[in-house]
Amino acid sequence: MDVVKLQKQLVDYRASLYHEAFLDEQFTQLQELQDENNPDFVVEVVSLFFEDSERLLNELAKALEQQSIDFKRVDAHVHQLKGSSSSIGAQRVQKVCITFRNYCEEQNVEGCLKCLQQVKHEYSLVKTKLETMFKILAAGGSIPM
Amino acid sequence: MTVERAISEPKDQFPIGMRVLAVDDDPTCLLLLETLLRRCQYNVTTTSQAITALKLLRENKNKFDLVISDVHMPDMDGFKLLEHVGLEMDLPVIMLSANGDTKLVMKGITHGACDYLLKPVRIEELQNIWQHVVRRKKFDRKDGDNSGSQDKPHIDNGGAAGMGGVDQNGKLNKKRKDQNEDEDEEHDENGHDNEDPSTQKKPRVVWSVELHRKFVAAVNQLGIDTEAVPKKILELMNVEKLTRENVASHLQKYRLYLKRISCVANQQANMAAALGSADSNYLRMGPLNGLGTFHTLAGSDQLHNAALRSFPPSGVLGRLNTPAGLGMRGLPSPGMIQLGHVQNSGNTSNDQSKLQSFVIPGNHNANTLQGMPMSLELDQLQNNKGVSHIGELPTAANTTVFPVSGSLMDARISGCSNNPLLGVTSNSLMLEGSSQQTTLHPSNLRDSVSTMGFQNGNTLSDFTSIATASNQLQCSKADLQCQASPTSCNAGQIIRSAPPEWNAPYHSNVMCCSINSSIPVNGAMVPLGQCLDQNNPNFHRNMDLDSIAPSNFVDPISLKRSEGFNSAMEPAVIQKEGYFQPRPQGGYNVGSLEDLASAMMKEGPDTRKLADGDFGCNGYSHRTCI
């Protein structure tokens, strides 16, 4: 693919992500923060997000498997996930986290388990999408603003 | 740029290069924050651990201009960190959270945060944060005493604001503590130096016990709500090199403190009662450091640690502590303890003065102490022996003066039992105390205590005031436990700081004291506040340990003792809780005081015993504590 095409693809793809609410304007901010001094900023932050989220999701799964669930702990994890997803603009993940937290407050095990599934799902979706975008970027060289 | 340099840079360049410390356990957010801050051209340092952050801040007080911290962190609650920073370093702190609940935001602000931002943070918001630094600095600059200390106080933190090296004795009193942040140590930086009179030169004004005492005296004279304007206070205080701005910011903090205390006061009363039994409460007081005023401990949630901690034992109460304060067992002269500046648990060394904490608030106990409760207590205390501090008690009549504010409340205090020294032995105590004066508490109590305790005649008066203030002294319990509340706080503080001095048998006491010191500090603060509110006169008196006239002490004390003490203790205890808020839950990571307090608390019963044994009036080992 030639560069122009790639770039177009990137733009379109990105636009779709926004459109489908996978990403929100926070992601735009991230991109704006990237500059020549910090050329890989977006990739860096997003990678960190992936790592951290995976860890949190594991912790969540473990915590919810317990005989007697420690909701405070679960809530703390979800809170963190919410914070980091909002920081990179992963809107859908963030939204699920909000619902998740409500269930935690109510100590609703069913609800929590359901939300966990949902959040995992949303997370893997956004991860795939971002990874795809990065591939295009890598191929194309840069993100046209 | 170097740390100092940044501050002295010209205004227009100022925001650039501002040194920010960012704390957040979430790596994604931290990286984002760091990048955003760098984009604003600030100089950024990051850490994901609150403990590390505190360490960095403590290493070099002038290394940072501003702190941004997340609220939810695994190793320490963001609010606690907030308190600590406010108290110890008096730096502007901005809270950050994904949770925008009004309640949480309110909590942040009341704890002294300059601002509360919601995640995800936008760069526009960060571009304005430098304003907080400027605002703070402005006060300091005007004061002229510090040249570049950014942190100066202020108003937000309520903490250390005006530390003026003026008097070294007491390092920061507890005032700070309650307000905001916990920063109990707040002055610790300054505080401990109180020894140095020339601290004035330092950028920060150190509100030593002595200085604070004067301040409170002036405020009382003028009337806290009416005439107490910085200018007049400054005139009344007549302290060289203290500027109006110093006083203004200190006044602000003080007012906040009083407010907190009044809440706490109620609790304290309960605490007093509880003190007898509640070691744990005492612990709480611990964090109070110095405030001694148990009042604060009890109720003032606000005081929570921060207050205590930061309050470098204004020691005001120190006097109050006199026996009561020490309640702990031997309460080493509550009054004395107070003097201890309990500087923030952190400073231990200086803490002594901190204890001073204003045990005075002890008033909450209802003034039972009024006046002399202390002395009476002392008598009773005699049994306690623990009163070590009491040694200071002006034995005038009862050496028991200690009842003072139980600020020391440390749970230990409950035992005021130390009294043996106090009351009757007061003479003996005093004697011992007198001789020991120096020992008592060399560090903190220094000013207050020495004058107090040993004066036999004089101290009592001091105590009295303290007692009244502290109500706590009421020690009627004989244990003095309660009374100590305010004093205990102080005592605690003093003790804390004084441990070294205590060499005497006071081991146990020392422990208590130590804990107390932390606690009392806060406690002291509270009572102080209360005292002020309630009994200005009393409080006022307490403040002046030196001038206290023993006479009062005697009578009231006995009466009050029973009541006062308990109540005193209680508040203190309560305060602790309130103060620390998170209290031992974990919030206390910080404080060594807390540890102490908890340790002390645990020891409670044992300590008491020790107290008795140790203190034995004879040598009031406690005194050393003082």
Side-chain angles (χ1 to χ4, degrees), chain A residues 26 29-30 32-35 38 41 44-45 48-49 52 79-80 82-84 86-88 101, chain B residues 24-29 31-32 35-36 39 70 72 97-100 119-124:
Chain A
Q26 179 63 20
Q29 282 245 334
L30 286 188
E32 281 169 8
L33 280 177
Q34 181 160 305
D35 59 12
N38 210 346
F41 178 64
E44 238 181 273
V45 175
L48 256 187
F49 169 69
D52 203 39
H79 176 78
Q80 206 183 341
K82 178 177 164 219
S84 54
S86 69
S87 292
I88 68 147
R101 284 196 88 201
Chain B
D24 192 334
D25 63 320
D26 184 342
T28 314
C29 298
L31 177 58
L32 175 62
T35 311
L36 285 169
R39 187 50 73 88
D70 185 32
H72 296 269
S97 178
N99 190 334
K119 284 184 189 172
V121 180
R122 292 191 314 281
I123 197 162
E124 296 82 17

